[in-house]
Amino acid sequence: MAMNNVGRPTASVANDAAAPTTFSGARGLLQPTSLIFETGSIDRTGVDLPPVKGVQSRLGGLARQTTTGNPGLSEPEAVRHYVRLSQRNYAIDLGMFPLGSCTMKHNARLNEKMARLPGFADVHPLQPVSTVQGALGVMDQLSHWLITLTGMKAVALSPKAGAHGELCGMLAIRAALDAQGQAHRRRVLVPESAHGTNPATAVQCGFIVDEIKAAPDGRVDLSDLKTKLGDDVAGIMLTNPNTCGLFERDIREIADLIHASGGYFYCDGANFNAIAGRVRPGDLGVDAMHINLHKTFSTPHGGGGPGSGPTVLSDALAPFAPVPYVVTRADGTLDLVEHEADSDGEPFGRMVAFHGQIGMYTRALTYMLSHGADGIKQASEDAVLNANYVQACLKEHMSPAFDGVCMHEALFDDSWLEGTGVTTLDFAKAMIDEGYHPMTMYFPLVVHGAMLIEPTESESKASLDAFIASMTGLAKAAKSGDTARFTGAPYHAPVKRLDETRAARKPVLKWAPPVEATKIAAE
Amino acid sequence: MRYLPLTPSDREQMLAKVGVASIEDLFLDVPEIARLDGPIHDLPFAQGELAVERHMQRLSNGSVAAGSVPFFCGAGAYRHAVPASVDHLIQRSEFLTTYTPYQPEMAQGTVQTLFEFQSQVAGLLACDVANASMYDGSTACAEAVVMAARVTKRTKVVFSGGLHPHYRRAARTLAKHSGLEIAGLPIAINDEAAVLAAVDQNTACVVVQCPNVFGTLTDFTELAKAVQAKGALLIAVFTEAVAFGLITPPGEMGADIVAGEGQSIGNSLNFGGPYVGLFATKDKYVRQMPGRLAGETVDADGTRGFVLTLSTREQHIRRDKATSNICTNSGLCALAFTIHMTLLGDKGLKHLAQLNHEAACETADAVSSIQGVELLSDSFFNEFAVRLPGDAAKAVEAMAAHNVLGGVPYSRLRQEPGFENVLLIAATETTTAEDIARLADTLKKVI
Ligand SMILES: Cc1ncc(COP(=O)(O)O)c(C=O)c1O
């Protein structure tokens, strides 16, 4: 063994023994964590406030007599708590996050910086409009970008996420039908492959969902669609590119059919990243489409939001856009139309308290200005190329769900796993050990054991090659009977596989003091 | 383009591997008439950071930042001091750039913070169970209404006249398409008796707010009992979460569903969004709740861990039978909320709430001592209503010309005859004695 001059070994010793459990509960750099309720206390605080003055209160007898029970931590304790927790998360900043349908692309920090400028972040939604021209300017410019990129007539900015945008578009359709005396049109056609939010949205708008079948090539079955048309059909909700990662090549015909039958065409724009800057949905016959700014325009997902779902509208639906919206006055200043009575159109109502997600608009606008029309087009092309490259490299080892090229995501089924004893879920958990966030699994529902891989344009070729090598290694391991690698996975994550069934059977949805917790468990 | 790693030679090699000659070959499914000849016209080309920053900075300069002037706006959004560590922590890559925790083994950071968030919200509101967030207070309110209809299988909704008008509109937009009948009571500063009188056999819920849009505090304990005796649910709404550091929380008054805005803890004004909707209810209604829920479980070794749970309520499993269509919610804003709440703790929150109340009391004294200004709220937390001798919107404009953001005219929220002169004024711990003096002076000048 090599020794340095004080007798300290300088090379490591091979050690096959199992890692000992530590006394601290840490695993090296991975620090132990606890709940704030276990480490904090209600008399501790991490915020220094000026003393109270003892002013006579005017609470009308409603003074709170109880504790919230919420523990406090000093600032160093709090910072450590959250930093330790953060280290139990995977993130796009750490590695590839090929979660299909979710467009996990790079989140530029310039966007964060711009969103925090005081003229956007420190502005109240109800300040006089003369004092918020900058914030309104962001909304106005973002609208211009969205309308131009989609070739549509207008955009309703206020929806708070994709699903809320769907609600916006479908309510506009409802309002348009009501205005035409077509209120009896209640049936909405939704492909089986649709995201769950589509049927859920349709029902929230008072519609009835009628599923249309997928053809063997992964697209809408036109003949099934034709049989379902009728004078009670309000419209269709179609994702394009669809959730199988394919462009609906009959989309113009679908639009014509639905229009000819008196219905409207709602397009789920979650997959706009494949075509932004290359194809304008307005040229495809779309009447309404939401855009997930938190996908295509890179506003960060933040562990589940906030999102933003601006919804572009055709000439036919634009008059029904909800309040509020921004208008330009004759003198060039910007104004807000906030009351339905002040509108030139026939707004279907109001969706939210204020004007939408300004913090997301600033980030998205920064993204757009950075990319430009040329960069947005290039990004879409790279996203599509990356997905096709992954598909081409993996198709020898895994089974693509459909033949031919794909758009921005590559879809595989689980037929290639047949007889291996490994499921899509097991395979996904083994990817965690490989240091990758798994692809979207078991969605879309039309493909058995679906694995939907969306690399996005943010991955370099080297990064894709490393991913492909890892996936290929896993695929070979699955086929060669190395089942334990999968069924016991993950082995290298901060926790082993979590028991989701138990969580649902005996829900523990908030912290309870240990005595109470034992009591609940005993029941 | 600085965000795109592929080089021209990478692209060539990759196209070859795919087996196509050019990128165009990957877009052949696009109908010919929709194919563009180049980048979309009428939009600028790519720019470097410096140029983009200049553009955005110029836009930002076009707004008057709340922090740069005496500031008294509330009406659903409140300016509070957020500790520096909050914004730092939420910008950690692992929180900022991760997705909804669909793979809990690599998202324990997110799921555990959601579990802690739910616990804190339940404690704050004194409710059995809280979800992992909604978009904002107004959409939480809308979802509460349709949930109440599901629970009671009834179709009438009663809105109190003290409910924030935007919440009322947003709830109405959603509710009317679920086939619900809406009974909106006349705008009033206190209408408990009218609310109860409007409840009948078919009433699913009544929606009340405390503190209400005029700042007034009302004890709903008796109302809740009376409403529940008629088989309906009481939905308690709030727009200022800090209030519950000082006033009786809605759960203690017996509310069945509590829906409100969490922005004022951890989050900036952001011109109205993103914010964070808080949603809580009784255990017996948990399976009718909208939105995500984090729950405790164990891993294969028996170690404690957290997962998203009870998802059979949600759209990705139940599709057209889901309790809501919500998917992406307000994750990062909920994280900011939970970090700020952890820094405050019960003690800090109570202290903060007291400071808010004192600032509002002092502001109310200063303003109501002006000749012709009438204080309309006899009880309040950090916001109150006054009646001016003339149009409140004009007074606010005139104050803005003197660089004072002196509150929100009620008419901004709803054009209601008889309320043109009503001004809503909020004060928080950020309000200084000098700000209050400036407000009083300026208001005196402009009315
Ligand atoms: C195809 C599709 N539609 C709709 C949505 C809903 O969007 P959001 O989560 O922003 O509500 C998603 C994303 O989750 C999606 O992938």
Side-chain angles (χ1 to χ4, degrees), chain A residues 16-31:
Chain A
D16 295 335
T21 50
T22 58
F23 299 106
S24 64
R27 272 187 281 154
L29 293 185
L30 194 63
Q31 297 288 336

mmCIF file with all atom_site columns, all heavy atoms in Angstrom, chain A residues 16-31:
data_model
loop_
_atom_site.group_PDB
_atom_site.id
_atom_site.type_symbol
_atom_site.label_atom_id
_atom_site.label_alt_id
_atom_site.label_comp_id
_atom_site.label_asym_id
_atom_site.label_entity_id
_atom_site.label_seq_id
_atom_site.pdbx_PDB_ins_code
_atom_site.Cartn_x
_atom_site.Cartn_y
_atom_site.Cartn_z
_atom_site.occupancy
_atom_site.B_iso_or_equiv
_atom_site.pdbx_formal_charge
_atom_site.auth_seq_id
_atom_site.auth_comp_id
_atom_site.auth_asym_id
_atom_site.auth_atom_id
_atom_site.pdbx_PDB_model_num
ATOM 1   N N   . ASP A 1 16 ? -15.236 -5.215 -0.322 1.00 0.00 ? 16 ASP A N   1
ATOM 2   C CA  . ASP A 1 16 ? -16.463 -5.806 -0.850 1.00 0.00 ? 16 ASP A CA  1
ATOM 3   C C   . ASP A 1 16 ? -17.562 -5.884 0.195  1.00 0.00 ? 16 ASP A C   1
ATOM 4   O O   . ASP A 1 16 ? -18.699 -6.221 -0.112 1.00 0.00 ? 16 ASP A O   1
ATOM 5   C CB  . ASP A 1 16 ? -16.184 -7.228 -1.369 1.00 0.00 ? 16 ASP A CB  1
ATOM 6   C CG  . ASP A 1 16 ? -15.248 -7.178 -2.564 1.00 0.00 ? 16 ASP A CG  1
ATOM 7   O OD1 . ASP A 1 16 ? -15.234 -6.120 -3.233 1.00 0.00 ? 16 ASP A OD1 1
ATOM 8   O OD2 . ASP A 1 16 ? -14.535 -8.154 -2.807 1.00 0.00 ? 16 ASP A OD2 1
ATOM 9   N N   . ALA A 1 17 ? -17.199 -5.592 1.437  1.00 0.00 ? 17 ALA A N   1
ATOM 10  C CA  . ALA A 1 17 ? -18.190 -5.752 2.499  1.00 0.00 ? 17 ALA A CA  1
ATOM 11  C C   . ALA A 1 17 ? -19.345 -4.780 2.301  1.00 0.00 ? 17 ALA A C   1
ATOM 12  O O   . ALA A 1 17 ? -19.187 -3.704 1.741  1.00 0.00 ? 17 ALA A O   1
ATOM 13  C CB  . ALA A 1 17 ? -17.543 -5.500 3.849  1.00 0.00 ? 17 ALA A CB  1
ATOM 14  N N   . ALA A 1 18 ? -20.530 -5.176 2.772  1.00 0.00 ? 18 ALA A N   1
ATOM 15  C CA  . ALA A 1 18 ? -21.701 -4.287 2.693  1.00 0.00 ? 18 ALA A CA  1
ATOM 16  C C   . ALA A 1 18 ? -21.418 -3.022 3.487  1.00 0.00 ? 18 ALA A C   1
ATOM 17  O O   . ALA A 1 18 ? -20.720 -3.067 4.506  1.00 0.00 ? 18 ALA A O   1
ATOM 18  C CB  . ALA A 1 18 ? -22.923 -5.006 3.257  1.00 0.00 ? 18 ALA A CB  1
ATOM 19  N N   . ALA A 1 19 ? -21.968 -1.902 3.002  1.00 0.00 ? 19 ALA A N   1
ATOM 20  C CA  . ALA A 1 19 ? -21.735 -0.636 3.697  1.00 0.00 ? 19 ALA A CA  1
ATOM 21  C C   . ALA A 1 19 ? -22.365 -0.709 5.083  1.00 0.00 ? 19 ALA A C   1
ATOM 22  O O   . ALA A 1 19 ? -23.510 -1.143 5.216  1.00 0.00 ? 19 ALA A O   1
ATOM 23  C CB  . ALA A 1 19 ? -22.345 0.503  2.901  1.00 0.00 ? 19 ALA A CB  1
ATOM 24  N N   . PRO A 1 20 ? -21.624 -0.336 6.130  1.00 0.00 ? 20 PRO A N   1
ATOM 25  C CA  . PRO A 1 20 ? -22.212 -0.361 7.475  1.00 0.00 ? 20 PRO A CA  1
ATOM 26  C C   . PRO A 1 20 ? -23.243 0.758  7.622  1.00 0.00 ? 20 PRO A C   1
ATOM 27  O O   . PRO A 1 20 ? -23.128 1.791  6.969  1.00 0.00 ? 20 PRO A O   1
ATOM 28  C CB  . PRO A 1 20 ? -21.016 -0.089 8.394  1.00 0.00 ? 20 PRO A CB  1
ATOM 29  C CG  . PRO A 1 20 ? -20.046 0.660  7.532  1.00 0.00 ? 20 PRO A CG  1
ATOM 30  C CD  . PRO A 1 20 ? -20.268 0.214  6.130  1.00 0.00 ? 20 PRO A CD  1
ATOM 31  N N   . THR A 1 21 ? -24.245 0.539  8.457  1.00 0.00 ? 21 THR A N   1
ATOM 32  C CA  . THR A 1 21 ? -25.157 1.648  8.739  1.00 0.00 ? 21 THR A CA  1
ATOM 33  C C   . THR A 1 21 ? -24.414 2.643  9.631  1.00 0.00 ? 21 THR A C   1
ATOM 34  O O   . THR A 1 21 ? -23.615 2.255  10.474 1.00 0.00 ? 21 THR A O   1
ATOM 35  C CB  . THR A 1 21 ? -26.442 1.178  9.451  1.00 0.00 ? 21 THR A CB  1
ATOM 36  O OG1 . THR A 1 21 ? -26.043 0.372  10.555 1.00 0.00 ? 21 THR A OG1 1
ATOM 37  C CG2 . THR A 1 21 ? -27.355 0.423  8.530  1.00 0.00 ? 21 THR A CG2 1
ATOM 38  N N   . THR A 1 22 ? -24.696 3.905  9.435  1.00 0.00 ? 22 THR A N   1
ATOM 39  C CA  . THR A 1 22 ? -23.970 4.930  10.198 1.00 0.00 ? 22 THR A CA  1
ATOM 40  C C   . THR A 1 22 ? -24.702 5.220  11.499 1.00 0.00 ? 22 THR A C   1
ATOM 41  O O   . THR A 1 22 ? -25.892 4.946  11.626 1.00 0.00 ? 22 THR A O   1
ATOM 42  C CB  . THR A 1 22 ? -23.853 6.224  9.381  1.00 0.00 ? 22 THR A CB  1
ATOM 43  O OG1 . THR A 1 22 ? -25.183 6.668  9.048  1.00 0.00 ? 22 THR A OG1 1
ATOM 44  C CG2 . THR A 1 22 ? -23.055 6.017  8.111  1.00 0.00 ? 22 THR A CG2 1
ATOM 45  N N   . PHE A 1 23 ? -23.952 5.787  12.427 1.00 0.00 ? 23 PHE A N   1
ATOM 46  C CA  . PHE A 1 23 ? -24.562 6.143  13.716 1.00 0.00 ? 23 PHE A CA  1
ATOM 47  C C   . PHE A 1 23 ? -25.433 7.387  13.598 1.00 0.00 ? 23 PHE A C   1
ATOM 48  O O   . PHE A 1 23 ? -26.383 7.579  14.334 1.00 0.00 ? 23 PHE A O   1
ATOM 49  C CB  . PHE A 1 23 ? -23.466 6.352  14.771 1.00 0.00 ? 23 PHE A CB  1
ATOM 50  C CG  . PHE A 1 23 ? -22.655 5.107  14.975 1.00 0.00 ? 23 PHE A CG  1
ATOM 51  C CD1 . PHE A 1 23 ? -21.360 5.008  14.485 1.00 0.00 ? 23 PHE A CD1 1
ATOM 52  C CD2 . PHE A 1 23 ? -23.212 4.011  15.624 1.00 0.00 ? 23 PHE A CD2 1
ATOM 53  C CE1 . PHE A 1 23 ? -20.627 3.837  14.652 1.00 0.00 ? 23 PHE A CE1 1
ATOM 54  C CE2 . PHE A 1 23 ? -22.472 2.848  15.800 1.00 0.00 ? 23 PHE A CE2 1
ATOM 55  C CZ  . PHE A 1 23 ? -21.170 2.750  15.307 1.00 0.00 ? 23 PHE A CZ  1
ATOM 56  N N   . SER A 1 24 ? -25.097 8.258  12.620 1.00 0.00 ? 24 SER A N   1
ATOM 57  C CA  . SER A 1 24 ? -25.821 9.529  12.485 1.00 0.00 ? 24 SER A CA  1
ATOM 58  C C   . SER A 1 24 ? -27.077 9.405  11.642 1.00 0.00 ? 24 SER A C   1
ATOM 59  O O   . SER A 1 24 ? -27.948 10.259 11.691 1.00 0.00 ? 24 SER A O   1
ATOM 60  C CB  . SER A 1 24 ? -24.914 10.561 11.804 1.00 0.00 ? 24 SER A CB  1
ATOM 61  O OG  . SER A 1 24 ? -24.632 10.128 10.481 1.00 0.00 ? 24 SER A OG  1
ATOM 62  N N   . GLY A 1 25 ? -27.144 8.347  10.861 1.00 0.00 ? 25 GLY A N   1
ATOM 63  C CA  . GLY A 1 25 ? -28.256 8.251  9.917  1.00 0.00 ? 25 GLY A CA  1
ATOM 64  C C   . GLY A 1 25 ? -27.908 8.868  8.574  1.00 0.00 ? 25 GLY A C   1
ATOM 65  O O   . GLY A 1 25 ? -28.653 8.740  7.611  1.00 0.00 ? 25 GLY A O   1
ATOM 66  N N   . ALA A 1 26 ? -26.770 9.553  8.492  1.00 0.00 ? 26 ALA A N   1
ATOM 67  C CA  . ALA A 1 26 ? -26.335 10.119 7.211  1.00 0.00 ? 26 ALA A CA  1
ATOM 68  C C   . ALA A 1 26 ? -25.772 9.008  6.342  1.00 0.00 ? 26 ALA A C   1
ATOM 69  O O   . ALA A 1 26 ? -25.399 7.934  6.835  1.00 0.00 ? 26 ALA A O   1
ATOM 70  C CB  . ALA A 1 26 ? -25.284 11.189 7.457  1.00 0.00 ? 26 ALA A CB  1
ATOM 71  N N   . ARG A 1 27 ? -25.731 9.248  5.058  1.00 0.00 ? 27 ARG A N   1
ATOM 72  C CA  . ARG A 1 27 ? -24.965 8.379  4.165  1.00 0.00 ? 27 ARG A CA  1
ATOM 73  C C   . ARG A 1 27 ? -23.995 9.270  3.424  1.00 0.00 ? 27 ARG A C   1
ATOM 74  O O   . ARG A 1 27 ? -24.277 9.760  2.329  1.00 0.00 ? 27 ARG A O   1
ATOM 75  C CB  . ARG A 1 27 ? -25.888 7.623  3.221  1.00 0.00 ? 27 ARG A CB  1
ATOM 76  C CG  . ARG A 1 27 ? -26.376 6.310  3.818  1.00 0.00 ? 27 ARG A CG  1
ATOM 77  C CD  . ARG A 1 27 ? -27.141 5.492  2.818  1.00 0.00 ? 27 ARG A CD  1
ATOM 78  N NE  . ARG A 1 27 ? -28.510 5.968  2.653  1.00 0.00 ? 27 ARG A NE  1
ATOM 79  C CZ  . ARG A 1 27 ? -29.221 5.793  1.534  1.00 0.00 ? 27 ARG A CZ  1
ATOM 80  N NH1 . ARG A 1 27 ? -28.692 5.208  0.494  1.00 0.00 ? 27 ARG A NH1 1
ATOM 81  N NH2 . ARG A 1 27 ? -30.454 6.246  1.476  1.00 0.00 ? 27 ARG A NH2 1
ATOM 82  N N   . GLY A 1 28 ? -22.886 9.570  4.091  1.00 0.00 ? 28 GLY A N   1
ATOM 83  C CA  . GLY A 1 28 ? -21.901 10.461 3.494  1.00 0.00 ? 28 GLY A CA  1
ATOM 84  C C   . GLY A 1 28 ? -22.501 11.815 3.240  1.00 0.00 ? 28 GLY A C   1
ATOM 85  O O   . GLY A 1 28 ? -23.057 12.440 4.130  1.00 0.00 ? 28 GLY A O   1
ATOM 86  N N   . LEU A 1 29 ? -22.447 12.232 1.990  1.00 0.00 ? 29 LEU A N   1
ATOM 87  C CA  . LEU A 1 29 ? -22.945 13.566 1.660  1.00 0.00 ? 29 LEU A CA  1
ATOM 88  C C   . LEU A 1 29 ? -24.461 13.683 1.825  1.00 0.00 ? 29 LEU A C   1
ATOM 89  O O   . LEU A 1 29 ? -24.989 14.782 1.891  1.00 0.00 ? 29 LEU A O   1
ATOM 90  C CB  . LEU A 1 29 ? -22.574 13.926 0.219  1.00 0.00 ? 29 LEU A CB  1
ATOM 91  C CG  . LEU A 1 29 ? -21.089 14.114 -0.063 1.00 0.00 ? 29 LEU A CG  1
ATOM 92  C CD1 . LEU A 1 29 ? -20.882 14.585 -1.494 1.00 0.00 ? 29 LEU A CD1 1
ATOM 93  C CD2 . LEU A 1 29 ? -20.466 15.111 0.908  1.00 0.00 ? 29 LEU A CD2 1
ATOM 94  N N   . LEU A 1 30 ? -25.142 12.551 1.835  1.00 0.00 ? 30 LEU A N   1
ATOM 95  C CA  . LEU A 1 30 ? -26.598 12.605 1.984  1.00 0.00 ? 30 LEU A CA  1
ATOM 96  C C   . LEU A 1 30 ? -26.935 12.699 3.473  1.00 0.00 ? 30 LEU A C   1
ATOM 97  O O   . LEU A 1 30 ? -26.807 11.744 4.227  1.00 0.00 ? 30 LEU A O   1
ATOM 98  C CB  . LEU A 1 30 ? -27.223 11.358 1.369  1.00 0.00 ? 30 LEU A CB  1
ATOM 99  C CG  . LEU A 1 30 ? -28.724 11.422 1.137  1.00 0.00 ? 30 LEU A CG  1
ATOM 100 C CD1 . LEU A 1 30 ? -29.095 12.506 0.135  1.00 0.00 ? 30 LEU A CD1 1
ATOM 101 C CD2 . LEU A 1 30 ? -29.232 10.069 0.658  1.00 0.00 ? 30 LEU A CD2 1
ATOM 102 N N   . GLN A 1 31 ? -27.355 13.886 3.894  1.00 0.00 ? 31 GLN A N   1
ATOM 103 C CA  . GLN A 1 31 ? -27.600 14.152 5.308  1.00 0.00 ? 31 GLN A CA  1
ATOM 104 C C   . GLN A 1 31 ? -28.971 13.617 5.730  1.00 0.00 ? 31 GLN A C   1
ATOM 105 O O   . GLN A 1 31 ? -29.897 13.566 4.924  1.00 0.00 ? 31 GLN A O   1
ATOM 106 C CB  . GLN A 1 31 ? -27.574 15.670 5.550  1.00 0.00 ? 31 GLN A CB  1
ATOM 107 C CG  . GLN A 1 31 ? -26.239 16.311 5.263  1.00 0.00 ? 31 GLN A CG  1
ATOM 108 C CD  . GLN A 1 31 ? -25.197 15.948 6.310  1.00 0.00 ? 31 GLN A CD  1
ATOM 109 O OE1 . GLN A 1 31 ? -25.533 15.614 7.432  1.00 0.00 ? 31 GLN A OE1 1
ATOM 110 N NE2 . GLN A 1 31 ? -23.940 16.010 5.915  1.00 0.00 ? 31 GLN A NE2 1
#
